[in-house]
């Protein structure tokens, strides 16, 4: 499988990781305690870890090598500024 190089697809992938984590967490809180709940928790944790990796590594390495992030607040400002430029 080839590496993703399209910045829009890379950003979409990151957004999907975030959405998956939020959805899994929501279902976890709604659902009754069970093995299913444990599986959803694992999915949520994995997804948030992947979003964190996307926010700090993928953006800096593949989308905008000139920008350096100092935290999630910095990442959100970057996204907001990029959105307003386009």
């Amino acid at each position: 499988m080839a590496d993703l190089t399209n910045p829009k697809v890379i950003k979409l992938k990151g957004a999907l990781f975030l959405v998956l984590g939020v959805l899994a967490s929501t279902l976890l809180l709604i659902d009754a305690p069970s093995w299913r709940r444990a599986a959803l928790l694992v999915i949520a944790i994995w997804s948030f870890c992947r979003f964190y990796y996307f926010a700090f590594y993928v953006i800096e390495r593949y989308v905008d090598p000139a920008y350096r992030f100092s935290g999630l607040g910095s990442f959100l400002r970057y996204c907001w500024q990029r959105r307003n430029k386009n």
Side-chain angles (χ1 to χ4, degrees):
M1 183 188 306
D3 288 339
L4 284 177
T5 57
N6 184 324
K8 288 183 181 183
V9 175
I10 292 171
K11 291 175 186 177
L12 175 63
K13 184 177 177 181
L16 290 174
F17 283 132
L18 180 61
V19 168
L20 182 63
V22 170
L23 285 174
S25 297
T26 301
L27 290 172
L28 179 64
L29 295 173
I30 293 171
D31 206 8
S34 66
W35 284 105
R36 180 177 178 191
R37 177 176 244 172
L40 290 171
L41 178 59
V42 169
I43 292 169
I45 292 168
W46 177 81
S47 297
F48 284 120
C49 289
R50 293 298 298 178
F51 176 73
Y52 188 84
Y53 169 82
F54 167 80
F56 294 103
Y57 185 81
V58 174
I59 293 291
E60 287 181 4
R61 296 282 184 183
Y62 301 108
V63 176
D64 190 354
Y67 198 82
R68 296 292 178 252
F69 299 99
S70 61
L72 287 176
S74 174
F75 176 70
L76 292 174
R77 275 191 309 277
Y78 170 81
C79 291
W80 182 258
Q81 290 170 352
R82 299 282 296 188
R83 192 186 111 185
N84 289 335
K85 285 182 183 179
N86 295 334

